[in-house]
Amino acid sequence: TNVGGLPEAIANKETGILVSPSAKSITEGICWFIDNKDKINFEKNIEDFVQKNMSWGSLADKIIKI
């Protein structure tokens, strides 16, 4: 759901889907994911996202910029 820190960890419709915390939105999000799981390479997108945004190297780069 689109709460807390999740929007920082999920690229919407690239590495997952962010929805509001309601039963209807969650249901729609699950349906969207099922419809798109063969069209979008979530595994590769997640790997790329983590490498770019959450790896030790990217963390060090962010610290150096400060």
Side-chain angles (χ1 to χ4, degrees):
T1 58
N2 192 10
V3 296
L6 286 177
E8 295 174 11
I10 296 173
N12 194 34
K13 296 186 178 179
E14 293 176 23
T15 62
I17 185 161
L18 294 168
V19 298
S20 63
S22 71
K24 182 179 180 194
S25 292
I26 293 170
T27 301
E28 289 170 352
I30 291 169
C31 290
W32 180 89
F33 180 80
I34 291 169
D35 290 342
N36 289 282
K37 66 183 175 77
D38 295 327
K39 299 173 190 169
I40 299 172
N41 189 344
F42 290 103
E43 293 87 358
K44 177 70 172 133
N45 291 348
I46 292 167
E47 181 180 338
D48 293 345
F49 182 85
V50 169
Q51 186 64 31
K52 181 180 176 185
N53 298 292
M54 299 178 179
S55 68
W56 285 112
S58 68
L59 176 61
D61 290 342
K62 290 174 186 176
I63 291 171
I64 289 170
K65 288 180 184 178
I66 297 175

